[in-house]
Amino acid sequence: MAFMEKPPAGKVLLDDTVPLTAAIEASQSLQSHTEYIIRVQRGISVENSWQIVRRYSDFDLLNNSLQIAGLSLPLPPKKLIGNMDREFIAERQKGLQNYLNVITTNHVLSNCELVKKFLDPNNYSANYTEIALQQVSMFFRSEPKWEVVEPLKDIGWRIRKKYFLMKIKNQPKERLVLSWADLGPDKYLSDKDFQCLIKLLPSCLHPYIYRVTFATANESSALLIRMFNEKGTLKDLIYKAKPKDPFLKKYCNPKKIQGLELQQIKTYGRQILEVLKFLHDKGFPYGHLHASNVMLDGDTCRLLDLENSLLGLPSFYRSYFSQFRKINTLESVDVHCFGHLLYEMTYGRPPDSVPVDSFPPAPSMAVVAVLESTLSCEACKNGMPTVSRLLQMPLFSDVLLTTSEKPQFKIPTKLKEALRIAKECIEKRLIEEQKQIHQHRRLTRAQSHHGSEEERKKRKILARKKSKRSAVENSEEYSAKYSNSNNSGSGASSPLTSPSSPTPPSTAAALGLGKRCKEGKDVHITSTASASATSSSLASCEHRGAYTAPAPGCEWREPRGLTQLHPEFPKGNFEESRNL
């Protein structure tokens, strides 16, 4: 088979769903323009970061390209005169940082090719549409009955997955869709098992699975053909969009936000849950449920892109459920993604953030009950219900499904075992990523708490208390030392108790006494002994607290206020001390 005779080696290890963050570190003014140095980071690892240099004109070009989304993005306005002033550059830098924050936190914009190329040109410099056309052309050499009508540019959100409108030469009025995609980081099947499972997909018959007409694969990519549906997907119905329009245009800023009728929510939800249960029972991993992967055929929902898990492609909602350690199996991923889908069907838009603290009014409290079990803080913290449990909830339990088509999907035992091992590997990578995010979040919280103003005040108070406690302990320790030394030096003789006896230097230091040099410098006697040692013998003083004769050129000085502090001590004591 000539399809991709010289493919690139292996799968793409880069996970395109890992969020990128960008921070402007500095700006540099050249002769005619200013450049902004931006630090871009992938995920939580500081080591996985790089610098890019962008001018304002680069931001303006990106913003013009993103206008197709219909969003009002906060790009700072142009300025022709005075655009090199320091104050203006500093203000513009703040505005550009805000612009980067907006586009990197918008779930749809942050995953689009335009933003990825702007922030990470090294990994997203290729022309993926051109590459896909080359591979599809190779495929047509061995399958001449197919013919490309036109490329369906950017109708999906994936950067490495491209779509083409097809037709069969002997049936020119029928339209089909060809999808081509690279293998992703979660592809763990062997090449042989992978190709066997891809070729099994056209044999999968289920009333709620959109049938695959043709499928083939090689070591690095896969190609599938399905019938083209003019009505589009469930997301097209919710957003009143045209299926052939680009993804950004269809879903970023809908003109009218309106959810579906309650009966539609109940019927479509029940159909989707039935097919998820079927796949789980078969041991076939899915993990890619969202409104764009549900095709509408009349009043029937049919699941799309079963091949994504075989190709190892990351999920559209991965950046959401990777934050919660209890969502760690593909079954729980499907249930969580169903919560997102139900929210869109109910309110006509995706949730602003997950977990959802409170839900707007819904057509029925039964809808809110299901949403709370899949998107609330408690659900994300404690884990997801099973698909069987959701089917038993009041919203879906009374829905009657009428279908005559019998499900058929025979998977050989050997391939079932290969699917089980691949599923465990996918879940293992997810668990490891969740663990790293959890550790990073704890460290960030600790650093934030440690650096808070309140915490700094607490540390200062504790430091003062510790310092005072240490000073008291040192004073008591030295007092004990001084007393022991005095007793051992004087033997059985009683200590001096006469009021006229000289004041020990330790007491003088404690009372604030000192000496002054003739040059005008103050020399103070320092001691940590307490005032309780004033009656001890001077002859047994240790070096630290013992009296030291004044240096040549120095004289005794009585500090101001001494008589007010200790009126019992006459000046003569100092003279006697000096003579000693």
Side-chain angles (χ1 to χ4, degrees):
M1 185 173 191
F3 171 53
M4 289 193 68
E5 293 169 343
K6 296 180 181 179
K11 62 184 181 181
V12 176
L13 296 177
L14 184 66
D15 188 342
D16 296 324
T17 63
V18 177
L20 298 180
T21 54
I24 302 178
E25 295 184 322
S27 61
Q28 54 187 13
S29 296
L30 304 181
Q31 291 182 352
S32 59
H33 65 274
T34 302
E35 292 180 341
Y36 299 93
I37 302 170
I38 305 170
R39 170 71 59 179
V40 183
Q41 181 175 315
R42 174 175 284 107
I44 59 173
S45 175
V46 180
E47 290 76 18
N48 195 3
S49 65
W50 58 93
Q51 279 187 340
I52 59 173
V53 178
R54 293 288 182 267
R55 298 173 54 175
Y56 176 81
S57 58
D58 299 323
F59 281 90
D60 187 50
L61 185 62
L62 172 65
N63 191 64
N64 290 335
S65 301
L66 293 177
Q67 291 303 305
I68 190 174
L71 296 172
S72 179
L73 300 174
L75 182 71
K78 293 181 180 180
K79 186 176 182 181
L80 298 178
I81 301 174
N83 58 7
M84 300 297 288
D85 296 340
R86 252 184 216 178
E87 295 80 6
F88 172 76
I89 292 173
E91 194 65 29
R92 174 175 276 184
Q93 182 172 323
K94 290 180 182 177
L96 293 177
Q97 182 62 64
N98 181 48
Y99 180 82
L100 288 174
N101 294 341
V102 169
I103 64 174
T104 53
T105 53
N106 184 295
H107 185 61
V108 177
L109 289 182
S110 62
N111 282 297
C112 79
E113 187 176 352
L114 294 168
V115 174
K116 296 283 190 184
K117 282 188 174 183
F118 182 84
L119 297 175
D120 189 5
N122 290 336
N123 285 310
Y124 297 98
S125 59
N127 187 332
Y128 298 105
T129 303
E130 188 65 30
I131 294 173
L133 273 172
Q134 292 175 5
Q135 310 311 324
V136 171
S137 299
M138 292 181 188
F139 161 72
F140 286 134
R141 294 176 188 173
S142 58
E143 300 287 343
K145 68 176 183 177
W146 309 99
E147 185 178 335
V148 173
V149 177
E150 60 176 330
L152 299 173
K153 192 174 181 182
D154 301 329
I155 66 166
W157 68 275
R158 292 189 186 276
I159 297 173
R160 306 173 197 273
K161 190 170 188 177
K162 298 301 175 182
Y163 298 87
F164 301 89
L165 194 63
M166 308 282 296
K167 68 178 181 180
I168 304 174
K169 288 183 177 179
N170 59 2
Q171 299 175 356
K173 291 186 178 181
E174 282 194 358
R175 292 290 181 266
L176 302 98
V177 174
L178 180 149
S179 64
W180 172 90
D182 275 329
L183 304 185
D186 281 326
K187 189 262 182 185
Y188 296 104
L189 292 165
S190 67
D191 291 340
K192 182 180 178 182
D193 292 338
F194 169 65
Q195 295 195 26
C196 289
L197 282 165
I198 287 291
K199 291 176 181 178
L200 269 182
L201 292 178
S203 67
C204 177
L205 301 177
H206 192 282
Y208 308 125
I209 293 178
Y210 202 68
R211 189 170 181 182
V212 175
T213 304
F214 177 85
T216 186
N218 66 7
E219 299 85 2
S220 62
S221 64
L223 181 152
L224 290 90
I225 298 176
R226 295 178 174 90
M227 296 298 297
F228 178 69
N229 189 341
E230 295 286 347
K231 292 184 178 181
T233 63
L234 180 57
K235 201 174 185 81
D236 293 326
L237 174 67
I238 296 171
Y239 288 77
K240 312 294 188 293
K242 298 177 181 178
K244 291 183 182 180
D245 283 344
F247 196 85
L248 292 182
K249 184 178 180 180
K250 291 188 289 187
Y251 309 132
C252 249
N253 188 27
K255 295 179 181 179
K256 187 178 181 181
I257 298 177
Q258 184 178 355
L260 303 181
E261 298 291 335
L262 179 60
Q263 191 56 44
Q264 289 177 306
I265 294 172
K266 293 166 66 74
T267 303
Y268 295 161
R270 177 64 187 260
Q271 292 170 350
I272 293 167
L273 289 175
E274 287 289 348
V275 69
L276 288 177
K277 186 175 184 305
F278 172 78
L279 292 174
H280 293 174
D281 292 344
K282 287 286 184 181
F284 191 94
Y286 186 52
H288 292 271
L289 180 63
H290 59 90
S292 292
N293 273 353
V294 179
M295 189 66 76
L296 272 181
D297 188 4
D299 292 330
T300 303
C301 283
R302 302 183 191 273
L303 210 59
L304 281 169
D305 289 359
L306 265 63
E307 70 274 9
N308 283 355
S309 58
L310 304 180
L311 271 65
L313 304 181
S315 172
F316 180 66
Y317 292 120
R318 186 180 181 90
S319 60
Y320 288 97
F321 59 73
S322 60
Q323 307 293 320
F324 311 112
R325 301 181 74 179
K326 290 292 184 178
I327 309 176
N328 52 16
T329 65
L330 289 185
E331 290 84 1
S332 61
V333 165
D334 283 335
V335 172
H336 180 71
C337 293
F338 179 79
H340 283 264
L341 174 58
L342 182 62
Y343 192 101
E344 268 190 292
M345 286 196 294
T346 305
Y347 301 112
R349 58 179 179 83
D352 296 327
S353 61
V354 176
V356 181
D357 295 324
S358 60
F359 296 91
S364 169
M365 288 306 297
V367 176
V368 177
V370 179
L371 290 174
E372 287 177 343
S373 69
T374 54
L375 295 180
S376 66
C377 296
E378 185 180 355
C380 293
K381 183 179 178 180
N382 298 327
M384 297 289 110
T386 63
V387 172
S388 299
R389 174 73 186 93
L390 291 181
L391 284 168
Q392 294 171 1
M393 296 184 76
L395 183 62
F396 307 115
S397 60
D398 60 346
V399 177
L400 297 176
L401 299 178
T402 56
T403 177
S404 58
E405 187 177 351
K406 187 178 179 181
Q408 293 181 12
F409 191 22
K410 294 182 180 180
I411 304 175
T413 305
K414 185 179 178 182
L415 291 181
K416 279 187 177 181
E417 180 63 18
L419 282 173
R420 185 189 65 79
I421 296 173
K423 176 178 175 290
E424 289 177 355
C425 293
I426 293 171
E427 293 170 350
K428 183 179 178 182
R429 186 175 87 89
L430 174 61
I431 292 170
E432 184 61 33
E433 183 179 339
Q434 290 170 333
K435 180 181 177 181
Q436 292 173 2
I437 292 173
H438 178 70
Q439 291 174 346
H440 175 74
R441 191 185 295 122
R442 288 184 62 186
L443 179 62
T444 303
R445 278 201 301 262
Q447 290 173 344
S448 177
H449 178 68
H450 190 72
S452 65
E453 186 67 27
E454 183 181 353
E455 189 64 20
R456 283 200 293 267
K457 287 180 180 178
K458 286 182 181 179
R459 288 200 301 273
K460 285 181 181 179
I461 294 171
L462 288 175
R464 289 195 200 104
K465 289 181 178 178
K466 187 176 180 181
S467 178
K468 289 179 181 178
R469 194 182 306 118
S470 178
V472 171
E473 290 173 357
N474 289 339
S475 177
E476 291 175 352
E477 180 185 352
Y478 188 77
S479 177
K481 267 187 176 184
Y482 186 84
S483 178
N484 292 338
S485 175
N486 184 26
N487 292 335
S488 62
S490 59
S493 61
S494 57
L496 295 175
T497 57
S498 173
S500 61
S501 61
T503 305
S506 59
T507 306
L511 299 175
L513 306 181
K515 56 184 178 178
R516 181 186 294 274
C517 292
K518 285 183 180 179
E519 292 81 4
K521 299 180 181 178
D522 287 342
V523 181
H524 293 281
I525 300 172
T526 59
S527 174
T528 58
S530 65
S532 63
T534 56
S535 60
S536 300
S537 173
L538 294 173
S540 61
C541 292
E542 292 186 1
H543 177 71
R544 187 177 180 189
Y547 166 74
T548 306
C554 297
E555 64 183 16
W556 283 102
R557 174 178 65 83
E558 177 182 352
R560 182 179 298 176
L562 178 65
T563 56
Q564 287 84 354
L565 290 171
H566 289 277
E568 299 90 3
F569 282 78
K571 290 185 178 180
N573 289 348
F574 295 98
E575 293 295 330
E576 293 174 13
S577 298
R578 186 173 61 178
N579 293 335
L580 284 174

